[in-house]
Amino acid sequence: MAVENEEDGTRAVPDATEPYSIFDKRQKALIVFLAANAATFSGFASNIYFPALATIARDLDVSIGLINLTVTSYLIFQGIAPSIWGPLSDAKGRRVAYICTFLVFLGACIGLAETRNYATLIVLRSLQSSGSASTIAVGSAVIGDITTREERGGFMGIFQAGLLAPVAIGPVIGGALSASLGWRAIFWFLAIYSGAFLVLLIISLPETLRSTVGNGGVRPSSPIAKYPLNFYQKYTKVKFNAQTQPVQASGKAKIDIAGPIRILFSKQAVSLVLFLGIYYAVWQMSITAMAVLFEERYGLSEAHVGFTFIANGAGSITGTLVTGKILDADYKRVKAKYEAAISQSGSETGSEQVSKAQDDDVNFPLEKARLRLLPILALLQCASIITFGWTIQYRVHIAVPIITTFITGWTVISIVSVVTTYLIDIFPEHKAASSASVNLARCLLAAGGTSIVTPIIGAVDVGWAFTITVAAQLVALLGVGIQWRFGGKWRMAADEARRQARKEKT
């Protein structure tokens, strides 16, 4: 891969025999740890807030419906913001994107801790979302930078597990802080946490953008791309590529703001992303309604409501870890069959046969390797959601709806992990933008869902409200069938079009 040097306009061409990534196990562990922890801020800022909704409504003298709109606004900007920060990270680097987003988040948290009216609350929640949401898209891109397809599923599982920890513990912390120190303490906690982590990130995270540092072996020239722990690499197996061949660059990297939109509406992605968005929206509707429903129908306090979210978070973390391992196992199984079929064809020499089975082979049946789990996960989520609604309506023992949230968390985050990994595979040059397209769809649909969940429950009660959402989920499942049937053909056609475009330029 050619790597552009921003100082002299040349590109450094690494040796073709170099590995995909030269970061050793310890550095990969550090990078995944930092990316996963950075992504926790999106979940913390969202979930830590739920137990305090009723208290904030009373304190600011507004209705629960208006406070729910702050959740809606958060989700809207959670979807839109990565469409800006993602392309920025694809063009200018992961470190610069991280630093900018955390500065925005930190400022918003300080403002929220001092807010005194509803208008300020909703504006700053939107700004807070703009800063935190992109950590997921950028983190997914970082994982894509340092991993091959064969190992990506497992690493994405670890990454998703890290970012989902706040789903389990965020509401507990939020409920405890709100009940003891007041709801503003929630935002002071986030401000202190984000400020400390930003310092750690600046010190410890190397630049991974492959158009800048290749497989990690090209020393970055930009001051922002450099990081103080470069000396660590002297004591590991990581070696910088000192013998690069400068060639004339074709141009500076551009920030493609429209990239996530193009990916979202491309044939290769739209049916699958729409499917994911609807399932994610229903999940958000259930956990948004959960805090108020448990308080009203089961008489729980704020602190106790916070504890009810633990099952949802535990399911999310467990599910993504298990699903990541299954993704890697599925990929290896399908790849082994694919390589065996090529070797049996007898049409090429041994070296040519093996080369055809490499990770970047467009003919590889990627859909079979990645999407097999989706129908199972989808049906399990449908069952858990409908059980959640009807058990609350009839006030079945609270343990039952809480258990359903474990299943819902498991399935929906596994779906997100599968789809995100698949899109990074098929859009390798736009990793952050592909992840941003997922964020855009799921968050905008979730914003719409959370804005109408309370009126729907008021009109038809909890059971029928979530029965309606399950009906929408079953229709959305058709998107997986469409992708399974036509995704490979569309992917190969898009790859051929890119190759023709490159030939025309040369």
Side-chain angles (χ1 to χ4, degrees):
M1 176 181 291
V3 181
E4 185 174 350
N5 185 316
E6 294 184 359
E7 291 181 350
D8 58 14
T10 63
R11 290 192 178 188
V13 184
D15 188 338
T17 63
E18 290 180 354
Y20 186 84
S21 174
I22 62 171
F23 293 118
D24 65 12
K25 290 182 178 180
R26 285 181 293 175
Q27 256 202 323
K28 276 190 177 182
L30 173 65
I31 293 168
V32 173
F33 170 80
L34 291 170
N37 275 273
T40 64
F41 287 90
S42 182
F44 261 128
S46 177
N47 290 274
I48 201 172
Y49 185 67
F50 287 130
L53 291 178
T55 302
I56 295 172
R58 288 192 295 267
D59 192 38
L60 298 182
D61 195 25
V62 295
S63 67
I64 287 291
L66 285 176
I67 291 297
N68 280 349
L69 286 180
T70 66
V71 178
T72 301
S73 67
Y74 186 95
L75 288 167
I76 289 173
F77 282 87
Q78 193 177 47
I80 294 173
S83 299
I84 299 172
W85 296 117
L88 173 69
S89 80
D90 281 339
K92 302 300 181 183
R94 313 305 184 198
R95 281 175 56 85
V96 66
Y98 268 136
I99 292 169
C100 291
T101 56
F102 271 100
L103 289 174
V104 171
F105 180 81
L106 176 60
C109 288
I110 295 172
L112 284 163
E114 294 295 321
T115 190
R116 292 293 183 271
N117 59 73
Y118 175 75
T120 304
L121 177 72
I122 197 167
V123 169
L124 289 178
R125 276 289 285 176
S126 301
L127 186 63
Q128 184 190 43
S129 176
S130 300
S132 66
S134 303
T135 57
I136 298 175
V138 179
S140 298
V142 168
I143 302 302
D145 290 338
I146 65 173
T147 60
T148 63
R149 282 184 184 175
E150 193 164 13
E151 62 183 348
R152 189 167 296 150
F155 277 100
M156 284 297 295
I158 296 170
F159 170 71
Q160 294 277 355
L163 72 89
L164 289 167
V167 178
I169 65 175
V172 178
I173 295 173
L177 288 173
S178 180
S180 59
L181 300 175
W183 61 268
R184 289 183 175 82
I186 292 173
F187 298 111
W188 281 122
F189 167 79
L190 291 173
I192 295 169
Y193 178 28
S194 61
F197 184 77
L198 176 58
V199 174
L200 176 64
L201 186 142
I202 291 172
I203 292 173
S204 306
L205 181 70
E207 181 57 66
T208 63
L209 180 63
R210 296 185 71 83
S211 62
T212 300
V213 298
N215 64 358
V218 178
R219 193 179 297 277
S221 58
S222 168
I224 296 179
K226 296 177 181 178
Y227 72 111
L229 285 189
N230 274 336
F231 73 87
Y232 167 79
Q233 293 177 318
K234 297 178 181 178
Y235 304 99
T236 71
K237 296 178 182 179
V238 174
K239 301 295 182 184
F240 282 113
N241 182 3
Q243 298 178 344
T244 56
Q245 302 174 5
V247 296
Q248 187 63 35
S250 59
K252 298 292 183 181
K254 296 181 180 179
I255 302 173
D256 185 9
I257 299 294
I261 303 294
R262 281 201 308 274
I263 291 173
L264 176 60
F265 290 102
S266 66
K267 288 190 297 185
Q268 304 100 289
V270 63
S271 61
L272 202 59
V273 173
L274 183 61
F275 155 79
L276 179 149
I278 290 173
Y279 277 73
Y280 184 88
V282 172
W283 177 53
Q284 285 292 309
M285 291 169 72
S286 68
I287 61 176
T288 300
M290 186 170 133
V292 176
L293 289 172
F294 282 177
E295 183 177 346
E296 290 179 351
R297 305 202 179 198
Y298 291 93
L300 300 186
S301 65
E302 287 178 61
H304 288 156
V305 166
F307 283 110
T308 65
F309 283 83
I310 293 177
N312 178 63
S316 301
I317 294 169
T318 305
T320 191
L321 287 172
V322 173
T323 301
K325 296 299 182 183
I326 295 175
L327 279 175
D328 282 350
D330 276 353
Y331 188 91
K332 291 175 182 177
R333 176 179 55 82
V334 174
K335 184 177 180 181
K337 289 183 178 180
Y338 177 64
E339 291 176 339
I342 290 177
S343 63
Q344 290 174 3
S345 66
S347 58
E348 287 125 348
T349 65
S351 60
E352 290 174 335
Q353 291 166 3
V354 172
S355 67
K356 272 197 168 185
Q358 297 304 308
D359 282 341
D360 61 351
D361 190 351
V362 73
N363 296 307
F364 180 80
L366 189 61
E367 288 68 31
K368 290 182 179 179
R370 293 298 193 211
L371 306 182
R372 181 179 66 89
L373 286 177
L374 288 182
I376 300 170
L377 294 169
L379 293 175
L380 282 173
Q381 188 188 340
C382 289
S384 67
I385 287 291
I386 202 166
T387 304
F388 171 83
W390 286 106
T391 53
I392 291 179
Q393 178 163 325
Y394 288 107
R395 289 180 171 82
V396 175
H397 192 281
I398 194 170
V400 179
I402 288 176
I403 290 171
T404 67
T405 66
F406 177 89
I407 299 171
T408 302
W410 178 308
T411 54
V412 73
I413 298 304
S414 295
I415 289 171
V416 172
S417 183
V418 170
V419 174
T420 302
T421 303
Y422 173 75
L423 290 181
I424 288 175
D425 287 346
I426 66 174
F427 296 105
E429 296 177 359
H430 305 282
K431 298 181 182 74
S434 64
S435 183
S437 71
V438 171
N439 275 295
L440 183 62
R442 68 185 175 90
C443 292
L444 292 183
L445 287 170
T450 56
S451 68
I452 63 173
V453 64
T454 299
I456 293 176
I457 291 173
V460 299
D461 214 343
V462 189
W464 282 112
F466 285 103
T467 300
I468 293 169
T469 64
V470 167
Q473 288 180 296
L474 291 173
V475 173
L477 187 53
L478 294 173
V480 177
I482 293 171
Q483 195 72 27
W484 184 274
R485 176 68 177 82
F486 301 106
K489 181 172 66 175
W490 291 336
R491 178 167 47 82
M492 287 186 280
D495 182 77
E496 181 61 29
R498 284 193 295 268
R499 290 184 182 184
Q500 290 297 330
R502 291 193 193 103
K503 287 181 180 179
E504 291 176 1
K505 286 182 181 180
T506 56

